[in-house]
Amino acid sequence: MRPSGRAPHEMRPVILEPGYAKKAEGSCFVRFGDTHVLCTASLEERTPPWLKGQGKGWVTAEYGMLPRSTNERMRREASAGKQSGRTQEIQRLIGRSLRAVVDMKALGERQITVDCDVIQADGGTRTASVTGGWVALQQCVAWMMERGMLTASPIKDNVAAISCGIYEGTPVCDLDYAEDSTADTDANFVMTGTGGIVEIQGTAEGEPFSQDELSALMGLAKDSIADLVRLQNEAAGLK
């Protein structure tokens, strides 16, 4: 039995609230159960220096956890003078995931930065950030099209993410902290709306896992991400 009482294939309640931050070109407040993340997309009419003059744009991401997003206060990374390795790894994952579904030439010489700020953490903050980050990015692109800055969307597909793992010998999806902290295997899957694999992160915390178990986790992830894509499209006002 899972601590939450959910079935192995059952995600936590997922809410995607677009337009949450009124001053950003795009935004989404995403909730996976008790994990809450504010995602905002900000447009700049410039590219990184190393892309200047190449006729294409860039999408990047930043990630952070607020001091009381966890049970005990975390020190702000700004006060420590540097980001942790975990923070850097997660924000690179988010950026890679979003870039996988954007036509950079169609975006033009512009940069969109997606900021993901964790307000409350209960497992799966990176997967929630990818999922909500896409909605914020979609909103930003819609904002640009409304103003004639783009004639067509450079977003080629959805991208969403879900955590899966083996908890007490059973493959389960969308781990909360109680499961994530004790799981035998912990994995994160990033996939597109058409089923393409962007990234898989998987680690055996105890006993190594088998190919059959990986296939079971993949099946759970595929079904869950299909549900998340439907919620993304509803939040973004797409069919």
Side-chain angles (χ1 to χ4, degrees):
M1 175 67 71
R2 305 179 70 175
S4 62
R6 289 180 284 144
H9 67 279
E10 190 177 356
M11 291 189 295
R12 293 170 288 180
V14 177
I15 298 173
L16 300 172
E17 184 177 346
Y20 192 85
K22 301 302 181 184
K23 295 187 178 181
E25 286 78 20
S27 64
C28 179
F29 186 48
V30 54
R31 308 178 194 184
F32 277 52
D34 285 334
T35 287
H36 301 171
V37 184
L38 175 60
C39 304
T40 57
S42 302
L43 173 67
E44 295 177 275
E45 287 286 350
R46 64 177 181 84
T47 61
W50 50 272
L51 270 180
K52 188 174 182 180
Q54 295 186 32
K56 56 186 180 180
W58 191 245
V59 174
T60 189
E62 294 191 10
Y63 166 96
M65 297 181 68
L66 297 186
R68 280 316 305 263
S69 60
T70 52
N71 290 331
E72 296 181 358
R73 185 184 186 276
M74 298 173 55
R75 184 182 181 189
R76 291 184 190 271
E77 292 185 332
S79 66
K82 63 177 181 179
Q83 291 180 314
S84 69
R86 176 184 180 276
T87 293
Q88 295 181 54
E89 184 261 324
I90 291 175
Q91 66 187 25
R92 287 169 183 160
L93 167 68
I94 300 166
R96 286 194 303 271
S97 301
L98 297 175
R99 287 192 296 273
V101 295
V102 177
D103 182 339
M104 296 302 169
K105 286 191 175 181
L107 180 60
E109 293 198 12
R110 306 178 175 98
Q111 175 169 285
I112 299 175
T113 301
V114 177
D115 288 290
C116 301
D117 293 293
V118 179
I119 296 173
Q120 186 167 279
D122 187 37
T125 61
R126 72 186 70 195
T127 54
S129 295
V130 170
T131 303
W134 184 90
V135 176
L137 179 64
Q138 176 69 39
Q139 273 213 319
C140 181
V141 166
W143 184 93
M144 295 167 70
M145 293 180 68
E146 288 171 0
R147 288 156 178 78
M149 301 169 71
L150 294 169
T151 57
S153 175
I155 300 178
K156 301 177 290 184
D157 200 349
N158 295 65
V159 67
I162 193 73
S163 64
C164 295
I166 299 174
Y167 177 76
E168 294 187 347
T170 301
V172 298
C173 78
D174 192 21
L175 282 65
D176 55 26
Y177 180 77
E179 293 172 325
D180 187 42
S181 60
T182 59
D184 300 318
T185 297
D186 182 19
N188 297 299
F189 294 83
V190 184
M191 301 177 69
T192 67
T194 52
I197 298 170
V198 177
E199 189 155 340
I200 299 174
Q201 301 175 332
T203 304
E205 303 291 350
E207 290 294 319
F209 56 96
S210 68
Q211 185 172 338
D212 287 345
E213 288 172 323
L214 177 59
S215 295
L217 296 177
M218 185 74 194
L220 288 171
K222 186 176 181 180
D223 291 344
S224 296
I225 286 175
D227 289 337
L228 292 175
V229 166
R230 177 181 55 80
L231 293 173
Q232 285 179 325
N233 289 339
E234 289 177 0
L238 303 174
K239 293 183 179 178

